[in-house]
Amino acid sequence: MRGLLQCAAVLLIAFAQQTAMAAAQGTPAASNVPNALTPSIDTDRSIRFQLMAPDAHSVQVAGGDGLGAGPFPMTRGSDGLWSATTPPSVAGFHYYWFVLDGVSVNDPSSETYFGYGKETSGIEVPEAGADYYAIRDVPHGDVRAKWYWSKSTGEWRRAFVYTPPDYDKNALHRYPVLVLQHGMGEDETGWTRQGKAQFILDNLIAAGKAQPMIVVMDRGYATQEGTPVVKLGTDVPPQNYQIAFSAFETVVIRELIPMIDAAYRTLPDREHRAMAGLSMGGMQTLFIALRHQDLFAYAGSFSGPVIQNFTATGSVSALMQLPFDTQSAYGGAFSEPAAFNRRMKLFWLGVGSAEPERFRASIGGAAKALRSAGVQLTYFESNGTAHEWQTWRRDLNDFAPRLFR
Amino acid sequence: MRGLLQCAAVLLIAFAQQTAMAAAQGTPAASNVPNALTPSIDTDRSIRFQLMAPDAHSVQVAGGDGLGAGPFPMTRGSDGLWSATTPPSVAGFHYYWFVLDGVSVNDPSSETYFGYGKETSGIEVPEAGADYYAIRDVPHGDVRAKWYWSKSTGEWRRAFVYTPPDYDKNALHRYPVLVLQHGMGEDETGWTRQGKAQFILDNLIAAGKAQPMIVVMDRGYATQEGTPVVKLGTDVPPQNYQIAFSAFETVVIRELIPMIDAAYRTLPDREHRAMAGLSMGGMQTLFIALRHQDLFAYAGSFSGPVIQNFTATGSVSALMQLPFDTQSAYGGAFSEPAAFNRRMKLFWLGVGSAEPERFRASIGGAAKALRSAGVQLTYFESNGTAHEWQTWRRDLNDFAPRLFR
C-alpha cells in the first residue's frame, strides 16, 4: 500500500540528496519541478544534467538543436548518479530527454511539455537582457481553456484563449482576435507553456506597444469525421497535408471562429482578425489565411516551410526547395500584388538564422521572390536561434505590435 | 540536425508499428497521447502496458493503489517490446510508471500529470455508467489560468479559476466561490486535469443540481519569503505542517481571496464562500476554514487526515491515530456544537472505503466523535475506491450540490 503522502516524502528526500551532490554548480532551471536542483545552468549557458540510475548500463542526454550537437554521454558516479555537462547552449527553451539503456525517457526533475507528439522534458535557458517574455509587474490577462464541440471532426476540442488584462473590467469593450498556432508534434498548450505568449502580450500591452487583443490557440490537428488520420512529416506527399489542413481549415473557419465570436467580445470582421503560427502552424496560416482573405487581414508565418502547391507531386521536403512562383503559388494569392497589398494589411514571414538551410532557403526564397514581384511583406530574421521557441517568441514580439493598426 | 518535422514523423511511424503489434487488445486509454494504442483497457478493466526497450534488462509497471498490488513484471518479446497485462483494476484515474533497469520513468504513450512532486503517467479507466465527470453536450465553463503576485511568499503564483457557463453572458450577475485544493505531490492543475472538476460542475449546473459557482484552484504550497522550505510527509513533526499551512493560510486569506474578489464577479461574503480539498488539501481546509469562519460558511475535507493539534509532539501519522477530542481539536472550533452548527452551513467529511486503514480510522473516527458531541456534519464514503481521484470526483459530485443553498 503506497499513499501519496509516503511517496511525496520519499521524493523530497531524493531531491534533498541530489541537492547535496549538486551543490553550487549553476542555477537550477526555471523549468525544473519544485525543489529539483538539476538541470542547472552555468553563467556560460553550459548545462549540468543528472540522473540517479545505479543499475543502468548507459545514459545519454539529447535534445533540441539549441542544446548543441549531442547526444552527450553521461558518466556514472560511484553512487549510481549519472551526470553530464553540455557545452554552452543557445538561450531559450530546448526540449531534451535522457537515453537510458537505449530508451528515450523524461527527466523526473523537469516539467514536461507536449513536443514530438508526446510529453517531453524541457529546459529554459535565460537570455541575458531579454525580459519581454518574463512575467513582470504589469497587468496580466487570463488564459482560458475553452472546450467546444466540433461537428466536422465529431469530437470535443479544446482551445486556449488569452483575454487581455482589461477584458473583465471593460464589459462593453470589444477586441480584435489573433489565431496563433503551434508546430508539428506540439499541441494547443505550446504557445503559453513553451512560448509564454501570454507574458509577451501582457508586456507589449502594458508598454502600449500592442493593441489589447484576444489570442486564440487551437489544437492544430483535425480529421474529418469518418475518414482516417493521415500521416504528416518530411517524407509524405503534400496531399497528406492538403487533407489534414483542409480538415483544420473547416474547424477554424466554420467552428472555431464562430464559437469565439459568440463566446467572447470580439470585433468580428477581417480588419480585426489575424492568423499566425510556427512551423506547421505557419504552413497552416498560409494555407488558410491566404484562401480566406475575407476573414483575415493579417497573416504571419513563423519558420513555416513554404509549400506553394499542395497538389504537386514529390515529398514536402522536395517541394520546400522549389523556386517560389509568385503567379501560381497558393492558388494565385499573390498573382496581383497591388490588389494583395491593398487587401492584406500585414503579411509577415520569419526564420531563425540558425535554422536548417532548407527552412532558411524556403522562407527567405519566398520572401525575396514576393518582394521582387511587388508584394509588400515584413521579413524578420531571428539572430542565432534555431527551429525552436526562442525564435518564435521573438517572432511574436515583433509581429503582435504590427496588428490592428 | 534534427527538425521537429523529422522527429514527429519518426514518432508517428513508431506508434504505427506499435499499433500493428497491439491490435485488438482492449481500448486505448483516453489518457494516452494521440495515436498511441497502449495502454489499453479490456472489458474486465485489466490493462495492457507496453514499452519498446530492446536493450533493457528488466522492465516493470507500477502505479497508484487502484492499479493493483504491483509492481508487475513485464516480459520481453523477441522484437524488444516489453509488455504486461495487469489484473482487473479499480475504475478511475491511476498514476503509473515503468521501472526501467531500476529507474522510474514515464510511459511515452501517456499524457503526464503532476503527482508525487513530478510529472507522472496516468491512466483513465472508465467506470461503467458513470458519466458525471465526462464532457457532455451541456454548456461549459472556462478554466482560466490566473497569475498573481504574492507579497507574503515573494513569488508569482498561478491559480486556476473555473467560471461557470453563463459567466460571460450575465455581465451583471455575481457568483459564490468554492476554493478547491489538490493533494500532496500534486499541484494547481490536478483538479481539472486528473479530477475533471470543470466537467463535474458543468454537468451539475446543467442538471440544476448545483448553483452556478466560481471554483478557485490554487497551488497548495507556500513558503513565507525569507524562510526555508519545510519538508512534509508522514514522518515529519506536525510543526512542519503548521509552518507550511500557515504560509498558505496567509496566501489564501490575504492575497488569493482579495484578488479573486477584485478580478471576478463574486459574492464576497462568508455565506457565498466555501473551501474544500483532497488529502493535504482537506487538511488545509480544516486548518484554514475552521479558523476563518468569518470568511467560510462551508467546508469539505476529502480523504484529509485529521490532525487535531498541529503543535502536538509525534509524527503526523501517529497524530492521525489519536482519538478525536471534540473539545480541544482545531483550537476548540467544535467546543460549542450548537454555535458551530448555526455558523457552518455545511461541514463535510469523506473517505474511500478502499483507502488505507489509517485514513478511514482518522476521518471516520473524527466524524463519529463529532456527531456524538452534537456537531452536524455530512459523512460520505466512496464505495470501493482508494486514496485516488475517483474518490475525490465522487466527493465533489456529492459536495458541490450542497453549497450555497
Side-chain angles (χ1 to χ4, degrees):
Chain A
M1 207 50 104
R2 75 184 68 75
L4 273 176
L5 282 173
Q6 218 163 337
C7 278
V10 167
L11 200 85
L12 282 171
I13 292 163
F15 280 135
Q17 287 172 339
Q18 194 193 53
T19 302
M21 291 182 288
Q25 273 191 305
T27 305
S31 42
N32 291 359
V33 297
N35 306 316
L37 291 203
T38 61
S40 61
I41 304 164
D42 219 328
T43 47
D44 66 353
R45 294 201 300 257
S46 64
I47 308 171
R48 184 160 183 80
F49 294 95
Q50 292 187 321
L51 181 71
M52 181 58 82
D55 301 332
H57 295 73
S58 103
V59 188
Q60 302 166 297
V61 58
D65 290 341
L67 202 62
F72 303 97
M74 299 176 76
T75 52
R76 186 189 190 285
S78 58
D79 48 5
L81 185 71
W82 296 72
S83 57
T85 302
T86 66
S89 62
V90 174
F93 176 91
H94 313 301
Y95 294 109
Y96 77 96
W97 51 90
F98 293 133
V99 184
L100 171 65
D101 289 346
V103 184
S104 294
V105 301
N106 289 333
D107 182 350
S109 294
S110 174
E111 285 285 348
T112 62
Y113 303 85
F114 205 79
Y116 307 102
K118 61 180 178 174
E119 293 289 342
T120 303
S121 301
I123 184 164
E124 183 67 51
V125 180
E127 178 174 334
D131 66 349
Y132 67 92
Y133 56 94
I135 186 164
R136 280 159 44 193
D137 187 15
V138 299
H140 294 282
D142 286 4
V143 176
R144 308 175 178 209
K146 179 78 181 168
W147 285 264
Y148 68 101
W149 174 253
S150 160
K151 192 178 166 188
S152 69
T153 60
E155 65 184 359
W156 286 99
R157 293 176 61 91
R158 180 179 64 174
F160 285 96
V161 180
Y162 167 86
T163 51
D166 56 354
Y167 186 89
D168 285 291
K169 297 278 179 253
N170 298 344
L172 297 176
H173 196 72
R174 291 184 163 270
Y175 297 83
V177 175
L178 164 62
V179 176
L180 185 63
Q181 291 303 126
H182 61 82
M184 191 177 299
E186 298 170 341
D187 72 8
E188 67 273 25
T189 62
W191 264 110
T192 51
R193 297 206 62 232
Q194 291 94 307
K196 302 187 185 291
Q198 70 277 42
F199 302 138
I200 294 173
L201 267 294
D202 288 340
N203 292 332
L204 287 172
I205 292 168
K209 291 182 183 168
Q211 299 290 334
M213 66 184 82
I214 293 169
V215 183
V216 178
M217 296 153 280
D218 198 28
R219 183 174 184 75
Y221 311 105
T223 302
Q224 195 192 317
E225 195 178 14
T227 68
V229 177
V230 294
K231 280 187 201 164
L232 302 180
T234 42
D235 297 325
V236 303
Q239 285 80 2
N240 285 26
Y241 284 84
Q242 169 100 19
I243 293 166
F245 288 5
S246 294
F248 182 58
E249 177 186 30
T250 300
V251 169
V252 171
I253 302 301
R254 303 230 183 120
E255 297 170 342
L256 179 67
I257 289 175
M259 181 279 287
I260 293 291
D261 284 339
Y264 302 101
R265 298 191 314 276
T266 64
L267 290 163
D269 59 34
R270 70 179 298 280
E271 308 284 319
H272 298 93
R273 195 180 293 116
M275 184 168 180
L278 74 91
S279 197
M280 180 183 80
M283 297 168 75
Q284 293 173 321
T285 298
L286 299 181
F287 187 93
I288 294 171
L290 292 176
R291 283 153 66 107
H292 297 278
Q293 294 178 37
D294 56 320
L295 294 176
F296 298 97
Y298 310 79
S301 176
F302 308 171
S303 306
V306 176
I307 307 298
Q308 37 191 315
N309 181 358
F310 284 87
T311 60
T313 54
S315 70
V316 161
S317 40
L319 293 179
M320 273 172 74
Q321 293 163 47
L322 288 183
F324 192 85
D325 183 299
T326 60
Q327 281 301 304
S328 67
Y330 292 97
F334 305 105
S335 61
E336 295 176 50
F340 180 85
N341 296 341
R342 276 194 304 275
R343 269 197 312 273
M344 288 300 278
K345 297 168 73 83
L346 177 67
F347 185 62
W348 193 105
L349 298 177
V351 70
S353 75
E355 293 199 40
E357 168 59 22
R358 67 183 190 281
F359 285 89
R360 286 180 287 129
S362 172
I363 299 161
K368 194 172 171 192
L370 285 166
R371 277 184 172 158
S372 295
V375 171
Q376 286 168 12
L377 60 88
T378 301
Y379 183 72
F380 178 84
E381 191 173 276
S382 169
N383 188 28
T385 59
H387 199 68
E388 285 194 326
W389 279 97
Q390 201 72 348
T391 299
W392 306 320
R393 290 169 175 171
R394 291 178 183 174
D395 290 349
L396 180 61
N397 197 48
D398 182 87
F399 179 77
R402 301 174 188 271
L403 298 176
F404 316 124
R405 299 289 182 185
Chain B
M1 212 39 115
R2 74 184 67 73
L4 273 177
L5 282 172
Q6 218 163 337
C7 278
V10 167
L11 200 85
L12 281 172
I13 291 162
F15 279 135
Q17 287 172 338
Q18 195 194 53
T19 303
M21 293 181 289
Q25 273 190 305
T27 305
S31 41
N32 292 0
V33 298
N35 306 317
L37 292 202
T38 62
S40 60
I41 303 163
D42 220 329
T43 47
D44 66 352
R45 295 202 299 257
S46 63
I47 308 171
R48 184 162 183 80
F49 293 96
Q50 291 187 322
L51 181 70
M52 181 59 82
D55 302 330
H57 294 73
S58 103
V59 188
Q60 301 166 298
V61 58
D65 291 340
L67 202 63
F72 304 96
M74 298 177 76
T75 52
R76 187 189 190 282
S78 58
D79 47 5
L81 184 72
W82 296 72
S83 56
T85 302
T86 66
S89 61
V90 174
F93 176 91
H94 314 301
Y95 294 109
Y96 77 95
W97 51 91
F98 293 133
V99 184
L100 171 65
D101 289 346
V103 183
S104 294
V105 301
N106 290 333
D107 182 351
S109 295
S110 174
E111 284 287 349
T112 61
Y113 303 85
F114 204 80
Y116 308 101
K118 60 180 179 173
E119 293 289 343
T120 303
S121 300
I123 184 165
E124 183 66 52
V125 180
E127 178 175 335
D131 66 349
Y132 67 92
Y133 55 94
I135 186 165
R136 281 157 44 192
D137 187 15
V138 299
H140 294 281
D142 286 4
V143 175
R144 307 175 178 208
K146 179 77 181 169
W147 285 263
Y148 68 101
W149 174 253
S150 160
K151 192 179 166 187
S152 69
T153 60
E155 66 184 358
W156 286 99
R157 294 175 60 92
R158 180 178 64 173
F160 284 96
V161 181
Y162 167 87
T163 51
D166 55 354
Y167 186 88
D168 286 290
K169 298 279 178 250
N170 299 344
L172 298 177
H173 195 72
R174 291 184 163 269
Y175 298 84
V177 174
L178 164 63
V179 176
L180 185 63
Q181 290 302 123
H182 61 82
M184 190 178 299
E186 298 170 341
D187 72 8
E188 67 273 25
T189 61
W191 265 109
T192 52
R193 298 204 63 232
Q194 291 95 307
K196 300 186 186 291
Q198 70 279 41
F199 302 139
I200 295 173
L201 266 296
D202 288 341
N203 292 332
L204 286 172
I205 292 168
K209 291 182 184 167
Q211 300 289 335
M213 67 184 81
I214 293 169
V215 183
V216 177
M217 296 153 282
D218 198 30
R219 182 174 185 76
Y221 310 106
T223 302
Q224 195 192 317
E225 195 179 14
T227 68
V229 177
V230 295
K231 280 188 201 167
L232 302 181
T234 42
D235 297 326
V236 303
Q239 286 80 0
N240 285 26
Y241 284 84
Q242 169 101 19
I243 293 166
F245 288 5
S246 294
F248 182 58
E249 177 185 31
T250 300
V251 169
V252 171
I253 302 301
R254 304 232 184 118
E255 298 171 342
L256 178 67
I257 289 176
M259 180 280 287
I260 293 291
D261 284 340
Y264 302 101
R265 299 192 313 277
T266 63
L267 290 162
D269 59 35
R270 70 180 297 280
E271 308 284 318
H272 298 93
R273 196 180 293 117
M275 184 167 180
L278 73 92
S279 198
M280 181 183 79
M283 296 169 76
Q284 293 173 322
T285 297
L286 299 182
F287 187 94
I288 295 171
L290 292 176
R291 284 154 64 108
H292 297 278
Q293 294 178 37
D294 56 320
L295 294 176
F296 298 97
Y298 309 80
S301 176
F302 307 171
S303 306
V306 176
I307 308 297
Q308 37 191 316
N309 181 357
F310 284 87
T311 60
T313 53
S315 72
V316 161
S317 41
L319 293 180
M320 273 172 74
Q321 292 163 48
L322 289 184
F324 192 85
D325 184 299
T326 59
Q327 281 301 306
S328 67
Y330 292 96
F334 305 105
S335 60
E336 295 176 50
F340 180 85
N341 294 342
R342 276 194 306 273
R343 270 197 310 273
M344 288 300 277
K345 297 169 72 81
L346 177 67
F347 185 62
W348 192 106
L349 298 176
V351 70
S353 75
E355 293 198 40
E357 168 60 20
R358 67 182 190 281
F359 286 90
R360 285 181 288 128
S362 172
I363 300 161
K368 195 172 169 192
L370 285 167
R371 277 185 172 160
S372 295
V375 171
Q376 286 168 13
L377 61 88
T378 302
Y379 183 71
F380 178 84
E381 190 173 277
S382 169
N383 188 27
T385 59
H387 199 68
E388 285 194 325
W389 280 97
Q390 201 72 349
T391 299
W392 306 320
R393 290 168 175 170
R394 290 179 184 173
D395 290 349
L396 180 61
N397 198 47
D398 182 87
F399 179 76
R402 301 175 188 271
L403 298 176
F404 316 124
R405 298 291 182 182

